[in-house]
Amino acid sequence: MQPTGRLHIGNYLGALRNWVRLQDDYDCFYCIVDYHALTTVTDPAALRPAVEDCALDWLAARLDPERSVIFLQSDVPEVAELHLLLSMTTPLSWLERVPSFKEKADEHPDNVNYGLLGYPVLQAADILLYAGERVPVGEDQLPHLELTREIARRFNHRYRPVLVEPQPIISDTPRVMGTDGVSKMSKSRGNAILMSAEPDELLRVVSTMVTDVLRPRRSDPGHPESCNVCQLHRIFSPDRYSEIWEGERTARTGCVDTKKALAVAVAEYFAPVRERRHELEARPGAVWEILAEGAARARVTARETIAAVRDAMGLGAAG
Ligand code: ADP
């Protein structure tokens, strides 16, 4: 995950929640990708707080550093070497056709850098360096993983089979809509509800949400199936949502009531997360220590992969 500061409920429901569960069945590596962030973030003062906020949310949500390897991408510089080496075997045409390159270039026309083009190669290095066998992805991210698989296959074919070709674990994750009700929740769109927000902040943000646009008057019956607030109640008020939906349909309740109830439900849902976050915040430096320990563990596998890749390519003294 890129460090973009505090996580929103879309990040939680669409990724983090699933990652927490995967720890029960797999040896997991979770990495905050600060090198990737440099393709768009140009203010050095912004990066560390963004990393810290991301790590705090991960740990508060119970990504567990005892069970998983949790680390910062740039703390394992071997990934930069693997990126360079894989860039020698990855055809330029594969990268030029990646849609996210075009999108990012359009978004930041004044900063179309070389790193942006190489982004998928660095992404491949992130996975292949740790010999990842499975990668949790949503359906829409499958093409990215396929590119990693192609990069690995090409390398293995040209040299020898040292890279593990990763398989997807496809997770059926919801696409959480933002407070505007029309676009995907995203930090950059300013339509996010933060998972670590305090109850009063949640009430303020949720109160601004666009609700049932087909219900111009309070006395009109509502359409919970197309209302974003009601959809979120399905997740955050699982025991009450049918009652809430019925209230909307019959106009017994109004959108304001439904939004207030959502703010309370989200605050309750994340109360243990907020509590753990506060505990961690009270221990200055704890997050960075956890990340450093994770990097030390990650480097063990990273060094083995790099040694094998260098040897396969004929670099350095014979192994
Ligand atoms: P953002 O768009 O807020 O910067 P990212 O692109 O950094 O979020 O996404 C980090 C992770 O969270 C990804 O796995 C992504 O699929 C997931 N994610 C982000 N926004 C949403 C959303 N609105 N609904 C579901 N999942 C999301």
Side-chain angles (χ1 to χ4, degrees):
M1 197 181 275
Q2 270 211 33
T4 53
R6 293 180 167 224
L7 305 195
H8 54 70
I9 62 172
N11 299 137
Y12 180 77
L13 298 171
L16 191 52
R17 183 171 65 161
N18 188 33
W19 297 0
V20 172
R21 291 184 191 139
L22 288 170
Q23 298 179 115
D24 295 337
D25 299 318
Y26 298 91
D27 295 323
C28 302
F29 283 63
Y30 294 118
C31 176
I32 300 176
V33 292
D34 55 345
Y35 279 148
H36 281 288
L38 292 179
T39 53
T40 52
V41 177
T42 50
D43 174 10
L47 206 49
R48 284 188 196 106
V51 167
E52 194 165 324
D53 269 328
C54 180
L56 280 168
D57 280 339
W58 280 13
L59 297 167
R62 286 209 188 286
L63 281 193
D64 178 359
E66 300 284 319
R67 290 195 290 165
S68 301
V69 183
I70 299 171
F71 64 105
L72 185 59
Q73 185 184 31
S74 67
D75 278 346
V76 186
E78 284 82 358
V79 79
E81 182 171 2
L82 187 57
H83 171 236
L84 171 77
L85 299 179
L86 293 176
S87 78
M88 306 301 175
T89 56
T90 306
L92 187 57
S93 59
W94 289 5
L95 303 176
E96 282 170 337
R97 69 172 189 233
V98 172
S100 48
F101 170 64
K102 186 92 195 44
E103 281 160 26
K104 283 270 157 76
D106 288 347
E107 249 174 66
H108 306 272
D110 52 340
N111 186 18
V112 184
N113 53 62
Y114 171 58
L116 221 43
L117 187 67
Y119 201 105
V121 185
L122 184 55
Q123 228 168 18
D126 284 324
I127 299 167
L128 301 173
L129 187 61
Y130 306 106
E133 289 166 8
R134 309 291 298 268
V135 183
V137 286
E139 197 85 46
D140 55 334
Q141 295 162 331
L142 264 179
H144 296 160
L145 186 62
E146 192 48 42
L147 190 54
T148 293
R149 286 161 51 80
E150 280 170 28
I151 289 172
R153 270 203 295 275
R154 193 172 168 95
F155 181 95
N156 288 344
H157 180 73
R158 179 175 293 179
Y159 297 104
R160 57 184 152 83
V162 289
L163 298 175
V164 177
E165 221 181 284
Q167 303 288 335
I169 307 176
I170 299 177
S171 47
D172 184 18
T173 49
R175 185 170 186 268
V176 180
M177 302 304 280
T179 50
D180 53 9
V182 287
S183 50
K184 192 176 150 184
M185 186 173 288
S186 168
K187 258 293 188 51
S188 53
R189 288 205 182 90
N191 64 2
I193 301 171
L194 301 184
M195 59 181 263
S196 60
E198 296 296 334
D200 54 344
E201 190 189 343
L202 279 172
L203 187 60
R204 189 180 53 74
V205 175
V206 173
S207 302
T208 68
M209 285 181 80
V210 173
T211 51
D212 187 348
V213 287
L214 304 170
R215 186 183 182 189
R217 286 182 302 265
R218 163 74 179 76
S219 53
D220 293 334
H223 310 81
E225 54 294 328
S226 60
C227 167
N228 188 25
V229 176
C230 291
Q231 292 300 328
L232 290 174
H233 270 298
R234 283 169 76 109
I235 296 162
F236 293 110
S237 315
D239 303 331
R240 284 191 56 217
Y241 93 86
S242 49
E243 172 199 329
I244 292 167
W245 280 37
E246 185 270 339
E248 283 284 295
R249 267 200 203 99
T250 57
R252 178 171 51 75
T253 53
C255 295
V256 174
D257 307 313
T258 313
K259 287 200 274 192
K260 274 191 189 145
L262 181 65
V264 171
V266 174
E268 268 175 27
Y269 187 97
F270 287 113
V273 173
R274 278 198 310 279
E275 197 178 311
R276 279 192 293 276
R277 199 182 206 277
H278 292 151
E279 282 166 20
L280 281 161
E281 282 168 343
R283 290 161 41 207
V287 162
W288 295 97
E289 275 168 35
I290 291 169
L291 291 175
E293 280 165 24
R297 285 165 68 196
R299 283 191 95 170
V300 175
T301 318
R303 287 199 180 111
E304 281 171 19
T305 306
I306 277 294
V309 166
R310 287 175 59 104
D311 187 54
M313 294 179 97
L315 291 169

